Amino acid sequence: LDLRAGWTPAVAAFVVAVAYYLGARIGFALTFSPYPLAVLWPPNATLMAALLLIHRRHWMLVFAAVFVAHLLVQLGGHVSFSLCLFWFATNCVEALIGAGCILKMLGRAPDFGRIADVSVFLFCGALLAPFVSSFLDAGCVTLMRASPTGFWDLWRARLFSNMLAMITLVPFLLNCAYRWPGLIGGRLPERPKEAALLISGLLLSGMLVFDVPPQNGVLLGLLFLPLPFVLWTAMRFGPAGSGAAFTLIAFLVIWGSTHGRGPFLTGEASESVRSVQVFLTVFGATLLLLAAGVEESRVSARRLRSSEERFAAAFRHGPHAMLISRKASGMVLDVNARYLSLFGCGREAVVGRTIQELELKPGGDGMGMRLHPGHTPSGEYAETAALAGREVLVASEEVDLEGVACLITSLQDVTEQKRAEESLRRSDERFRLVLRATDDVIYDWDIVGDVLWWNQNGDIFFGAMSDPRPRNFDRWAQSLHADDRQRVTSTLMALLNGTDSICNAEYRLARGDGSHAYVGARGFLVRDERGRALRMIGSLHDVTDRKRADEANQRLAHVSRLAVMGELTASIAHEINQPLGAILSNTDAAEILLNEKDIPAAELRQIIEDIRNDIVRAGEVIRHMRALMRRRELAMQSFDLNRAIGDVLNLASADLGRHRVQVDTEFGPLPAVYGDQVHVQQVVLNLLLNGVDAMAALPNDRRRITLRTQRIEGGWVGVTVADTGPGIASEQAENLFSSFFTTKPDGMGLGLSIARSIVEAHGGTIRAETAATGGASFTFTLPGRPGQAETGRTTKDKEKEKENDNDNRNGCTCGG
Ligand code: ADP
């Protein structure tokens, strides 16, 4: 008894003592007067049931409580105290033998639903314990001369009454205890109507047989009247039901007999008692075994059924399509729901047909055929096959079903899986090919784990042999050029901590051989949902060659300016010489005036004024020269183009004059122009000097250059320099603006290419054409406002312009 329902050992012991006392009272009540022995002696059975239920460590408590109950029972009945003690001892011995042996053999209280447990109980509890203890009991009584009856009579009487008590009460009490919480909860038995019917049948038949006056002469055959009801209980209500039914019958039999009724009163009281005892003992023992047998087969049938149901459910609702077929004929016996849904067919289309008819086509590995009759699968195998357009993985196992060799086949749909594998393979291959096809170094930086991966080109860039590829951020940062490191790492850190996902940068990176390469780096940041940077993937493009070319171009532009300046030196010297000469003669004149008596202050002031003007002019010339010679970036600002061109004409006037070139200007009203004034002036100067060169062969009076400025649509400004020279030969038109293209023996071929670079840097275009009247005409455009270079005129506009020009003139253009 695990003392359920919160019973403490003390409460349990108390309950046992009360049951013991009541049992004794019932025992006394069920004696055949005048025969002194009880037909059935409940206290010992109660004690044995209690020992089976209560843990061994509380047994002493139980014995103590029961001893009190025993004294109360016996001392009221004029029995000597010592006999009372002996009886208590023999009762305890009997319960101890029974419970001890049962617990020893079973390790627990018996389960009356098992034949083995019932057998152990019958042998140890119902036979061995009363058998042994009755010797003690009868011996004591005989020795103390407490009974007129002989030893063997006493022994026999006690043995039978105790056997009957054990068989009748122990199973009943144990079954009640097993179901104790249910019993007090007042739970009705299953099938209450059937139970009520049975109880009424039992009561009625019992009373009819066992509670009738003996002189009525009960037919012996009628003894079996309650039997169907008892068997019915055993079959339908298990050991507990049949135990209760038997207890009821036993009570009726004993009650009837002790009250002088029933079929067992055959004369001698002792014989009647024996007859009742034998009848009930045999009946009870048989019933116990029968109920256990029924219960066992019911439990095993239930187990079998639930296991069958489990397997049937596993087959029917399994995640894979399954099919059972006869091995010999290939006939399909059953398929599951997944099979039908996978292949979209009805059961009748499969069951009853053969595997061959299902057209299971072998996959690449020759599978499918092996399921056909004559191909014995050696155990389990799995290969792919195609069935009704699906690719399936087939696994089959040979089994014996009711003596017939069958195959259980599972078909796992792997169509999607195969597709996914194929697409994965392709994308993998594509990725590898892309990595091979590109010249760029591709990197993948796991920011969290700080691991850098490089593609094959990384080996080439960094050098594969000694594996110097930077594998983490620090190593990579060390490879940066010292001048770039701070800038690049801080930009990168700002990017990681910011929200942008794309980064572009240009920096120098150490190659494997120690030299530095210029790389254009691109990167894409992968962030988690909280915006934390996890990974960066991108490429490094080696731009060293472009960088070098740019630098060379810059140097070239500088050199070309110097060359232009070389040509100008003479005229500049002349320009400066002239004001210097004027200053000298003015100072001479001033000196003479100072020697006069009356110094003419007004004249002197005029002379000083002239000197200042000449100095300012000389300073202007020098400033211009320095501006042109300085190598610098574009300094964009708004300026007055007409004035700037006027300055250029002033600068070149000496040269123009020397070559007898007449310059006509047609300056239109212009908005302010946005650009680098000095560079624009250089363009005009180059075009002017080219015109001068082109007209060298002409007679003096035909050397004319026209300089025209005008506003054109969209706020732009156009400048045209036209000469009267031979114009542009059509075969030269294409190369005119290319660097180093020249037709002059001492030319450098840089003037026009520089001019084009400058105009395009402003967002404008430059073109050359031969006018209908002969002579070359160069026109370039400049923006009127900041930002117009990018937005004002699109490439499309320029293309359109170019087309129009080609249509209208027999010339050539070159646009930016
Ligand atoms: P360079 O003056 O050193 O030759 P440019 O680039 O200034 O270099 O000019 C390239 C070539 O274009 C000249 O050699 C010449 O053949 C041609 N060219 C330039 N301007 C004119 C012009 N106004 N008329 C005819 N041809 C010209």
Short mmCIF file of all heavy atoms in Angstrom, two decimals, residues 301-328:
data_model
loop_
_atom_site.label_atom_id
_atom_site.label_comp_id
_atom_site.label_asym_id
_atom_site.label_seq_id
_atom_site.Cartn_x
_atom_site.Cartn_y
_atom_site.Cartn_z
N ALA A 301 -4.48 -9.62 -25.83
CA ALA A 301 -5.23 -9.28 -27.05
C ALA A 301 -5.23 -7.77 -27.26
O ALA A 301 -5.06 -7.29 -28.38
CB ALA A 301 -6.67 -9.78 -26.94
N ARG A 302 -5.38 -7.03 -26.13
CA ARG A 302 -5.40 -5.57 -26.25
C ARG A 302 -4.05 -5.07 -26.74
O ARG A 302 -3.94 -4.21 -27.61
CB ARG A 302 -5.74 -4.95 -24.90
CG ARG A 302 -6.19 -3.50 -25.05
CD ARG A 302 -6.32 -2.79 -23.70
NE ARG A 302 -7.09 -3.55 -22.72
CZ ARG A 302 -6.69 -3.76 -21.46
NH1 ARG A 302 -5.52 -3.27 -21.05
NH2 ARG A 302 -7.42 -4.45 -20.62
N ARG A 303 -2.99 -5.67 -26.15
CA ARG A 303 -1.64 -5.25 -26.56
C ARG A 303 -1.42 -5.51 -28.04
O ARG A 303 -0.89 -4.69 -28.77
CB ARG A 303 -0.59 -6.03 -25.76
CG ARG A 303 -0.38 -5.42 -24.41
CD ARG A 303 0.98 -5.79 -23.84
NE ARG A 303 0.98 -5.41 -22.44
CZ ARG A 303 1.20 -6.25 -21.43
NH1 ARG A 303 1.46 -7.52 -21.68
NH2 ARG A 303 1.17 -5.83 -20.19
N LEU A 304 -1.85 -6.70 -28.45
CA LEU A 304 -1.67 -7.08 -29.85
C LEU A 304 -2.43 -6.10 -30.75
O LEU A 304 -1.91 -5.63 -31.76
CB LEU A 304 -2.19 -8.50 -30.05
CG LEU A 304 -1.84 -9.13 -31.38
CD1 LEU A 304 -0.34 -9.35 -31.48
CD2 LEU A 304 -2.60 -10.45 -31.56
N ARG A 305 -3.65 -5.82 -30.31
CA ARG A 305 -4.48 -4.96 -31.14
C ARG A 305 -3.86 -3.56 -31.25
O ARG A 305 -3.73 -3.00 -32.32
CB ARG A 305 -5.88 -4.84 -30.53
CG ARG A 305 -6.90 -4.33 -31.53
CD ARG A 305 -8.32 -4.50 -31.05
NE ARG A 305 -8.54 -4.00 -29.72
CZ ARG A 305 -8.90 -4.74 -28.68
NH1 ARG A 305 -9.09 -6.05 -28.85
NH2 ARG A 305 -9.08 -4.23 -27.49
N SER A 306 -3.38 -3.04 -30.10
CA SER A 306 -2.85 -1.68 -30.17
C SER A 306 -1.54 -1.68 -30.94
O SER A 306 -1.25 -0.73 -31.67
CB SER A 306 -2.68 -1.06 -28.78
OG SER A 306 -1.64 -1.69 -28.13
N SER A 307 -0.77 -2.76 -30.83
CA SER A 307 0.47 -2.80 -31.61
C SER A 307 0.14 -2.90 -33.09
O SER A 307 0.75 -2.24 -33.92
CB SER A 307 1.36 -3.93 -31.12
OG SER A 307 1.69 -4.80 -32.15
N GLU A 308 -0.89 -3.69 -33.42
CA GLU A 308 -1.30 -3.79 -34.82
C GLU A 308 -1.80 -2.45 -35.34
O GLU A 308 -1.47 -2.03 -36.44
CB GLU A 308 -2.42 -4.83 -34.97
CG GLU A 308 -1.90 -6.20 -35.26
CD GLU A 308 -3.01 -7.23 -35.26
OE1 GLU A 308 -4.18 -6.83 -35.13
OE2 GLU A 308 -2.69 -8.41 -35.39
N GLU A 309 -2.58 -1.79 -34.47
CA GLU A 309 -3.10 -0.49 -34.88
C GLU A 309 -1.97 0.50 -35.11
O GLU A 309 -1.99 1.28 -36.06
CB GLU A 309 -4.04 0.07 -33.80
CG GLU A 309 -5.46 -0.43 -33.97
CD GLU A 309 -6.32 -0.17 -32.75
OE1 GLU A 309 -5.87 0.55 -31.84
OE2 GLU A 309 -7.44 -0.72 -32.69
N ARG A 310 -0.97 0.42 -34.21
CA ARG A 310 0.18 1.32 -34.37
C ARG A 310 0.85 1.10 -35.72
O ARG A 310 1.14 2.03 -36.45
CB ARG A 310 1.19 1.05 -33.25
CG ARG A 310 1.15 2.10 -32.16
CD ARG A 310 2.42 2.15 -31.37
NE ARG A 310 2.91 0.86 -30.92
CZ ARG A 310 2.51 0.23 -29.81
NH1 ARG A 310 1.60 0.77 -29.05
NH2 ARG A 310 3.02 -0.94 -29.47
N PHE A 311 1.07 -0.20 -36.03
CA PHE A 311 1.78 -0.48 -37.28
C PHE A 311 0.93 -0.15 -38.50
O PHE A 311 1.44 0.35 -39.49
CB PHE A 311 2.28 -1.91 -37.29
CG PHE A 311 3.46 -2.09 -36.38
CD1 PHE A 311 3.35 -2.79 -35.20
CD2 PHE A 311 4.67 -1.48 -36.69
CE1 PHE A 311 4.43 -2.90 -34.33
CE2 PHE A 311 5.75 -1.58 -35.83
CZ PHE A 311 5.63 -2.30 -34.64
N ALA A 312 -0.36 -0.42 -38.36
CA ALA A 312 -1.25 -0.09 -39.48
C ALA A 312 -1.26 1.42 -39.69
O ALA A 312 -1.19 1.90 -40.82
CB ALA A 312 -2.66 -0.59 -39.19
N ALA A 313 -1.28 2.18 -38.57
CA ALA A 313 -1.28 3.65 -38.69
C ALA A 313 0.04 4.11 -39.29
O ALA A 313 0.06 5.03 -40.13
CB ALA A 313 -1.49 4.28 -37.32
N ALA A 314 1.14 3.47 -38.87
CA ALA A 314 2.45 3.86 -39.41
C ALA A 314 2.48 3.64 -40.91
O ALA A 314 3.04 4.43 -41.66
CB ALA A 314 3.56 3.07 -38.74
N PHE A 315 1.87 2.55 -41.35
CA PHE A 315 1.85 2.25 -42.79
C PHE A 315 0.93 3.24 -43.51
O PHE A 315 1.30 3.86 -44.49
CB PHE A 315 1.37 0.82 -43.01
CG PHE A 315 1.16 0.48 -44.47
CD1 PHE A 315 2.25 0.22 -45.30
CD2 PHE A 315 -0.11 0.45 -45.01
CE1 PHE A 315 2.05 -0.08 -46.65
CE2 PHE A 315 -0.32 0.16 -46.35
CZ PHE A 315 0.77 -0.12 -47.16
N ARG A 316 -0.28 3.40 -42.94
CA ARG A 316 -1.29 4.18 -43.64
C ARG A 316 -0.94 5.66 -43.70
O ARG A 316 -1.13 6.31 -44.70
CB ARG A 316 -2.63 4.01 -42.89
CG ARG A 316 -3.77 3.83 -43.85
CD ARG A 316 -4.88 3.04 -43.25
NE ARG A 316 -4.73 1.61 -43.46
CZ ARG A 316 -5.05 0.69 -42.56
NH1 ARG A 316 -5.49 1.05 -41.39
NH2 ARG A 316 -4.90 -0.58 -42.84
N HIS A 317 -0.40 6.17 -42.59
CA HIS A 317 -0.18 7.62 -42.55
C HIS A 317 1.30 7.98 -42.56
O HIS A 317 1.68 9.08 -42.17
CB HIS A 317 -0.83 8.21 -41.30
CG HIS A 317 -2.26 7.79 -41.16
ND1 HIS A 317 -3.23 8.18 -42.05
CD2 HIS A 317 -2.88 6.96 -40.27
CE1 HIS A 317 -4.39 7.63 -41.68
NE2 HIS A 317 -4.19 6.88 -40.62
N GLY A 318 2.15 7.02 -42.95
CA GLY A 318 3.60 7.28 -42.98
C GLY A 318 3.94 8.41 -43.92
O GLY A 318 3.21 8.68 -44.87
N PRO A 319 5.05 9.09 -43.65
CA PRO A 319 5.42 10.24 -44.48
C PRO A 319 5.87 9.83 -45.89
O PRO A 319 5.85 10.63 -46.79
CB PRO A 319 6.57 10.88 -43.71
CG PRO A 319 7.13 9.80 -42.86
CD PRO A 319 6.00 8.87 -42.55
N HIS A 320 6.27 8.57 -46.05
CA HIS A 320 6.71 8.13 -47.37
C HIS A 320 5.63 7.26 -48.02
O HIS A 320 4.87 6.60 -47.33
CB HIS A 320 7.99 7.30 -47.25
CG HIS A 320 9.14 8.12 -46.76
ND1 HIS A 320 10.28 7.57 -46.23
CD2 HIS A 320 9.32 9.45 -46.69
CE1 HIS A 320 11.09 8.53 -45.87
NE2 HIS A 320 10.53 9.68 -46.14
N ALA A 321 5.63 7.30 -49.34
CA ALA A 321 4.70 6.43 -50.05
C ALA A 321 5.13 4.98 -49.82
O ALA A 321 6.33 4.69 -49.87
CB ALA A 321 4.74 6.77 -51.53
N MET A 322 4.16 4.09 -49.52
CA MET A 322 4.51 2.69 -49.27
C MET A 322 3.59 1.77 -50.04
O MET A 322 2.43 2.11 -50.32
CB MET A 322 4.42 2.39 -47.78
CG MET A 322 5.45 3.14 -46.99
SD MET A 322 6.25 2.08 -45.83
CE MET A 322 5.32 2.40 -44.41
N LEU A 323 4.15 0.62 -50.35
CA LEU A 323 3.42 -0.32 -51.20
C LEU A 323 3.82 -1.72 -50.75
O LEU A 323 4.99 -1.98 -50.48
CB LEU A 323 3.86 0.00 -52.62
CG LEU A 323 3.62 -0.85 -53.81
CD1 LEU A 323 3.48 0.08 -55.01
CD2 LEU A 323 4.76 -1.78 -54.07
N ILE A 324 2.81 -2.60 -50.62
CA ILE A 324 3.11 -3.99 -50.29
C ILE A 324 2.73 -4.83 -51.50
O ILE A 324 1.63 -4.69 -52.04
CB ILE A 324 2.30 -4.46 -49.06
CG1 ILE A 324 2.60 -3.55 -47.87
CG2 ILE A 324 2.63 -5.90 -48.72
CD1 ILE A 324 1.77 -3.86 -46.65
N SER A 325 3.67 -5.67 -51.93
CA SER A 325 3.38 -6.48 -53.11
C SER A 325 3.83 -7.92 -52.88
O SER A 325 4.69 -8.17 -52.04
CB SER A 325 4.11 -5.90 -54.32
OG SER A 325 5.49 -5.93 -54.09
N ARG A 326 3.19 -8.84 -53.61
CA ARG A 326 3.62 -10.24 -53.56
C ARG A 326 4.94 -10.33 -54.27
O ARG A 326 5.11 -9.77 -55.36
CB ARG A 326 2.62 -11.12 -54.30
CG ARG A 326 1.37 -11.35 -53.52
CD ARG A 326 1.07 -12.85 -53.39
NE ARG A 326 -0.01 -13.00 -52.43
CZ ARG A 326 -1.30 -12.91 -52.76
NH1 ARG A 326 -1.63 -12.76 -54.02
NH2 ARG A 326 -2.23 -13.01 -51.85
N LYS A 327 5.85 -11.08 -53.68
CA LYS A 327 7.17 -11.15 -54.30
C LYS A 327 7.12 -11.96 -55.59
O LYS A 327 7.72 -11.59 -56.61
CB LYS A 327 8.16 -11.77 -53.32
CG LYS A 327 9.57 -11.56 -53.76
CD LYS A 327 10.54 -12.30 -52.88
CE LYS A 327 11.80 -12.56 -53.67
NZ LYS A 327 12.54 -13.67 -53.15
N ALA A 328 6.39 -13.06 -55.55
CA ALA A 328 6.42 -13.98 -56.70
C ALA A 328 5.71 -13.38 -57.92
O ALA A 328 6.26 -13.34 -59.01
CB ALA A 328 5.76 -15.29 -56.31
#
